[in-house]
Amino acid sequence: MRHNKKFNHLSRTADHRHAMLANMTISLIMHKRITTTLAKAKALRKYAEPLINHCKDDSTHSRRVVFSYLQNKEALKELFGPVAEKVGDRPGGYTRIIKLGHRLGDASPTCFIELVDFDDNMAKTAKTGKKTRRSRRSSKAEAPAAEVAEAPVAEETAE
């Protein structure tokens, strides 16, 4: 029977896995984006999102629960400060996984995992309401024109 085998063990003992996920969560909170393998990112999402959900309720109990998982005061301050302000109205889905390709050494799939509200490029696209198309022909034709239009114009100053 395969009872209680729902999560990925990542070829590690339980203590090693918990320590690794705690360290990766601290790095994710402090840097807002980290690069890792796809399997670790999926495991990290299940570990980090409930902790981020705790930061919505800034109480002593929530802080102690999160601190029992992370054991890092700086990450706790960051989580209950700027991160809590950004995710306060979001009902869930605090992280985003973006696949990058395969690693050269062992061909394992790599990816970014990032906090959704802290990515400036995605936020600008979402605010402008720019819609993407799935047709390959139109995206190739529009890409060079978009790059030319976004090029910064140098201003001359007379002194």
Side-chain angles (χ1 to χ4, degrees):
M1 289 188 241
R2 55 177 311 276
H3 295 306
N4 207 10
K5 298 198 179 268
K6 191 167 184 172
F7 63 95
N8 191 350
H9 294 277
L10 300 173
S11 300
R12 286 165 170 80
T13 62
D15 289 337
H16 186 186
R17 188 173 53 251
H18 290 307
M20 182 192 68
L21 291 173
N23 287 333
M24 289 176 69
T25 304
I26 290 168
S27 297
L28 179 65
I29 291 168
M30 299 303 287
H31 301 294
K32 311 300 186 267
R33 173 190 274 185
I34 57 174
T35 305
T36 184
T37 63
L38 187 62
K40 287 180 188 174
K42 288 180 178 179
L44 178 63
R45 176 191 283 172
K46 288 183 180 181
Y47 188 87
E49 291 213 1
L51 297 180
I52 296 170
N53 203 18
H54 274 288
C55 78
K56 288 181 177 183
D57 176 32
D58 191 5
S59 64
T60 305
H61 177 69
S62 297
R63 285 179 177 266
R64 286 179 178 170
V65 167
V66 173
F67 186 75
S68 70
Y69 284 93
L70 298 184
Q71 299 290 319
N72 188 315
K73 289 182 181 178
E74 288 79 22
L76 198 72
K77 288 177 189 173
E78 184 76 17
L79 182 63
F80 280 89
V83 176
E85 292 173 6
K86 293 257 187 164
V87 302
D89 57 343
R90 183 177 284 275
Y94 310 113
T95 57
R96 175 188 300 126
I97 294 176
I98 300 171
K99 295 178 184 177
L100 295 176
H102 295 280
R103 196 161 50 193
L104 289 177
D106 58 355
S108 63
T110 58
C111 64
F112 279 139
I113 181 167
E114 63 184 5
L115 295 176
V116 172
D117 293 322
F118 286 91
D119 187 16
D120 296 333
N121 296 332
M122 290 290 197
K124 288 177 186 175
T125 306
K127 286 181 183 176
T128 58
K130 185 177 179 182
K131 295 183 179 179
T132 58
R133 295 189 50 140
R134 294 195 173 236
S135 173
R136 287 185 175 228
R137 289 182 195 156
S138 63
S139 64
K140 286 183 180 177
E142 293 174 7
E147 291 174 7
V148 173
E150 293 176 5
V153 178
E155 296 181 14
E156 295 180 16
T157 57
E159 293 184 18

